[in-house]
Amino acid sequence: MAKILMKGNEAIGEGAVRAGCRYFFGYPITPQSELPHYLAKRLPEADGVYLQSESETSAINMVYGAAGAGARVMTSSSGPGISLMQEGISYIAGAELPCVIVNMMRGGPGLGNIAPAQSDYLQAVKGGGHGDYRVICFAPASVQEIIDFMKDAFELADKYFNPVMLLADGILGQMMEPVELGEEETVQIPDRAWAANGMRGREKKNIINSLYIVPEDMEVHNHKLTKKYAEITENEQRWEEYRVEDAEMVLVAFGTSARIAKAVVDRARDEGLRVGLIRPILVWPFPVKAFEKVIPHAEQFLTVEMNMGQMVEDVRLAVAGRRPVHFTGRPGGMLPVASDVFQEVKKLMSGGAK
Amino acid sequence: MLESILIAGFGGQGVLSTGQLLAYSGMLENKYVAWIPSYGPEMRGGTANCGVTVSDTPISSPVVSEPTVLIAMNRPSLEKFESCVSPAGIIMVNSSLIDIKVQREDVRTIYVPANDLAEEMGNGKVANNIILGSLIEMTGVVSLDMVVESLKKVLPPRRHNLIDINREALEKGMQLAKNAGEKTSNVS
């Protein structure tokens, strides 16, 4: 099928509809507004429901309700709106419901700005809301990946009864790139015998709940969740390796930063420097397995981010003190420049910085 | 080959759609392309710009911070972006609306009275494609045929009657760049 030119935000919408999502609840915020705009037209065409809520708080609770009723449902926002949603995300994680949440990140903290950033990494992968929970988190790096990952996102949400986040920066939402949509497939949504959607001849009521008032029960539930997270961590690590086979210096970056880091790797290789890249495709679970493969020959790591150093904490946990882990990044909506990162690589490889 | 092209002008001048046409043409030529708009807190009636990258290799960052080509459709755009054009780059000036000259001497410059020429052709709206014609003549970033092919896809069928005049506009821009190249030694 021929390629078409598509904006990242629109690709999320089209990818979601093709993945069988028929419910969207959200509230506009730059730089993701083209997504609700696209779905406002596209979902009714697919017999779905698009609803602009009065706030992000209500949007995530509508997602909670729709997911509890068995719908394939999503919402999207950016930084400040995602912060408003954290209570609801925690409830959804506690009640173990499938849904997809998009965060098209911008500069922060506070109202910050609308320029592209990766400032919500820690919020996305360490819980974000209250309580002991995790969210599966995709980090696409191109418009094509956005299309491809939407289906995976809904499937993982169903498989593990867990919210799944798509974490991208404003550039990925705003840019247009060629994409191959492929044939529209028929989507099989797993049977939802657990859904609170009326008795339907059942003997017992289905109840969706995240309240465990008796501590002993809450502890059991926490253990159950933890077991699930361990299973996800074992089964679902995803990453891309780029020229790491013999790399002495391994860059680590996700999303738009990874595209810039890839250009740095090519430039370094042209100059005979053994540099490679690990690009986490899922940032939770973090691809610790990728690091075990490169540790034997990697002498040091350099994390490249559009923030002041967030994922670098997970890289340090994965490397576990065996090698030095450095950081370079630009915050506030500014982008790392390939030539600056390359200078940093050269400096580190010549032993210039300790 | 990597061209990173910044197209800037007033909102409503069609800079975003011109950028999309260029990106579309590059895609049809099986090149890597990316298009990104400025989406800052712009005012209605204010400036608009977009970056288009066309490359033989995968594009690392779609953000055009050091353009190889600047297309300035109005004066504020030239004043704002002249300094960021990469050395030996190209600045294309819509001289119908810009009454100042480019100060840089390390770039190639071409002045295209796009709006005047478009009015002469009987349709002011083809001004962008006159400049686009000059661009493809000077850089070879995409071919004329591919731009025309893209117009067929980008324009809705009821607007296909406009394809001929747009082709003429592109050809006019190409001819203008060719003539300028013959006249001035620092324009190739």
Side-chain angles (χ1 to χ4, degrees):
Chain A
M1 216 174 134
K3 285 190 169 179
I4 61 164
L5 207 54
M6 210 168 191
K7 222 176 195 199
N9 282 330
E10 295 171 348
I12 295 172
E14 185 57 32
V17 171
R18 283 166 176 253
C21 173
R22 289 295 178 271
Y23 295 85
F24 177 93
F25 307 102
Y27 188 82
I29 183 169
T30 307
Q32 63 82 57
S33 292
E34 293 85 358
L35 166 56
H37 187 237
Y38 185 85
L39 285 177
K41 181 162 182 283
R42 185 72 172 89
L43 270 176
E45 284 172 4
D47 293 325
V49 171
Y50 165 88
L51 196 149
Q52 183 178 317
S53 57
E54 68 271 39
S55 73
E56 289 86 348
T57 307
S58 63
I60 194 67
N61 283 291
M62 289 173 185
V63 169
Y64 184 21
R72 196 162 258 200
V73 57
M74 73 179 284
T75 184
S76 75
S77 191
S78 180
I82 296 290
S83 292
L84 286 169
M85 289 183 184
Q86 290 302 333
E87 181 196 37
I89 297 172
S90 169
Y91 276 57
I92 294 167
E96 292 195 89
L97 292 172
C99 71
V100 171
I101 301 147
V102 176
N103 183 1
M104 201 53 77
M105 289 181 283
R106 53 189 247 174
L111 201 48
N113 63 24
I114 59 177
Q118 296 179 325
S119 48
D120 307 343
Y121 175 90
L122 287 172
Q123 182 196 50
V125 305
K126 304 292 178 192
H130 60 281
D132 214 341
Y133 76 96
R134 298 290 168 151
V135 170
I136 298 167
C137 193
F138 280 89
S142 70
V143 180
Q144 183 68 56
E145 277 196 348
I146 285 174
I147 285 272
D148 298 340
F149 290 168
M150 285 313 287
K151 189 163 166 277
D152 298 354
F154 282 101
E155 282 174 0
L156 284 187
D158 271 352
K159 184 176 176 188
Y160 292 107
F161 296 96
N162 211 70
V164 173
M165 184 171 274
L166 192 95
L167 189 71
D169 57 79
I171 285 184
L172 284 159
Q174 293 295 324
M175 76 188 290
M176 279 181 127
E177 276 188 320
V179 292
E180 195 118 24
L181 285 175
E183 296 295 324
E184 219 172 323
E185 293 165 26
T186 321
V187 179
Q188 295 293 338
I189 298 177
D191 181 46
R192 277 148 148 71
W194 47 265
N197 54 359
M199 290 300 281
R200 304 194 177 208
R202 281 188 285 260
E203 295 285 312
K204 222 173 127 235
K205 280 183 198 168
N206 283 342
I207 296 173
I208 305 293
N209 188 23
S210 70
L211 176 70
Y212 294 83
I213 198 76
V214 180
E216 284 81 357
D217 295 345
M218 186 79 246
E219 187 185 36
V220 168
H221 186 57
N222 281 135
H223 278 300
K224 182 188 170 216
L225 290 178
T226 303
K227 203 174 150 227
K228 176 173 82 175
Y229 301 145
E231 197 186 324
I232 298 171
T233 302
E234 180 53 33
N235 297 340
E236 306 297 345
Q237 294 182 29
R238 284 193 212 178
W239 69 91
E240 180 196 356
E241 291 167 4
Y242 186 65
R243 307 182 86 166
V244 290
E245 308 75 41
D246 60 346
E248 292 164 3
M249 158 74 82
V250 175
L251 305 183
V252 190
F254 70 100
T256 295
S257 300
R259 295 170 69 120
I260 295 162
K262 216 176 229 184
V264 174
V265 169
D266 287 342
R267 192 157 159 201
R269 288 278 175 179
D270 286 348
E271 295 200 12
L273 297 171
R274 290 183 181 173
V275 178
L277 168 72
I278 291 175
R279 173 174 76 92
I281 289 173
L282 285 177
V283 284
W284 196 88
F286 194 71
V288 289
K289 291 176 186 172
F291 291 83
E292 294 312 314
K293 286 176 71 179
V294 301
I295 277 277
H297 51 76
E299 288 165 10
Q300 52 185 332
F301 294 83
L302 175 64
T303 306
V304 185
E305 301 179 59
M306 285 150 63
N307 56 44
M308 288 306 279
Q310 299 193 17
M311 184 177 70
V312 65
E313 294 184 6
D314 282 332
V315 176
R316 289 196 174 119
L317 285 172
V319 173
R322 288 171 287 178
R323 302 285 184 273
V325 176
H326 310 280
F327 168 79
T328 185
R330 297 279 301 270
M334 301 301 290
L335 285 180
V337 179
S339 53
D340 295 345
V341 178
F342 180 60
Q343 289 312 317
E344 186 69 17
V345 166
K346 280 216 290 201
K347 193 173 82 184
L348 290 166
M349 289 187 84
S350 63
K354 287 277 183 279
Chain B
M1 190 274 300
L2 185 145
E3 295 285 358
S4 47
I5 299 150
L6 184 67
I7 310 176
F10 289 123
Q13 265 184 314
V15 302
L16 300 184
S17 52
T18 301
Q20 285 183 15
L21 181 63
L22 183 58
Y24 210 104
S25 309
M27 180 180 77
L28 290 186
E29 289 189 2
N30 286 318
K31 291 177 170 137
Y32 290 93
V33 299
W35 172 96
I36 188 159
S38 63
Y39 67 95
E42 321 284 18
M43 280 185 302
R44 186 167 293 200
T47 56
N49 72 73
C50 68
V52 179
T53 309
V54 183
S55 173
D56 292 328
T57 51
I59 295 162
S60 54
S61 168
V63 174
V64 175
S65 47
E66 267 184 51
T68 57
V69 181
L70 166 66
I71 299 180
M73 292 303 293
N74 66 358
R75 182 170 164 168
S77 300
L78 178 61
E79 289 171 334
K80 188 172 175 188
F81 296 117
E82 178 176 343
S83 61
C84 70
V85 176
S86 68
I90 299 173
I91 299 182
M92 314 188 68
V93 180
N94 176 15
S95 54
S96 296
L97 298 181
I98 302 175
D99 53 7
I100 54 170
K101 297 286 174 196
V102 172
Q103 302 298 309
R104 296 262 305 259
E105 286 175 1
D106 60 340
V107 294
R108 293 190 283 161
T109 302
I110 183 166
Y111 296 90
V112 181
N115 291 85
D116 297 314
L117 293 171
E119 292 299 340
E120 278 171 29
M121 290 176 65
N123 188 335
K125 287 179 183 166
V126 299
N128 293 350
N129 279 343
I130 294 177
I131 289 216
L132 194 57
S134 300
L135 171 81
I136 64 177
E137 173 66 29
M138 291 176 78
T139 61
V141 62
V142 290
S143 70
L144 170 67
D145 288 345
M146 220 42 105
V147 179
V148 175
E149 202 57 37
S150 303
L151 276 169
K152 288 180 194 160
K153 313 225 171 196
V154 171
L155 291 173
R158 66 191 165 84
R159 292 272 180 242
H160 280 195
N161 58 327
L162 295 173
I163 287 174
D164 284 344
I165 190 167
N166 277 291
R167 174 188 267 278
E168 281 171 44
L170 289 159
E171 285 168 345
K172 191 177 273 284
M174 290 177 82
Q175 193 56 48
L176 199 101
K178 215 174 272 175
N179 296 344
E182 281 157 15
K183 268 189 294 193
T184 324
S185 60
N186 68 343
V187 176
S188 61

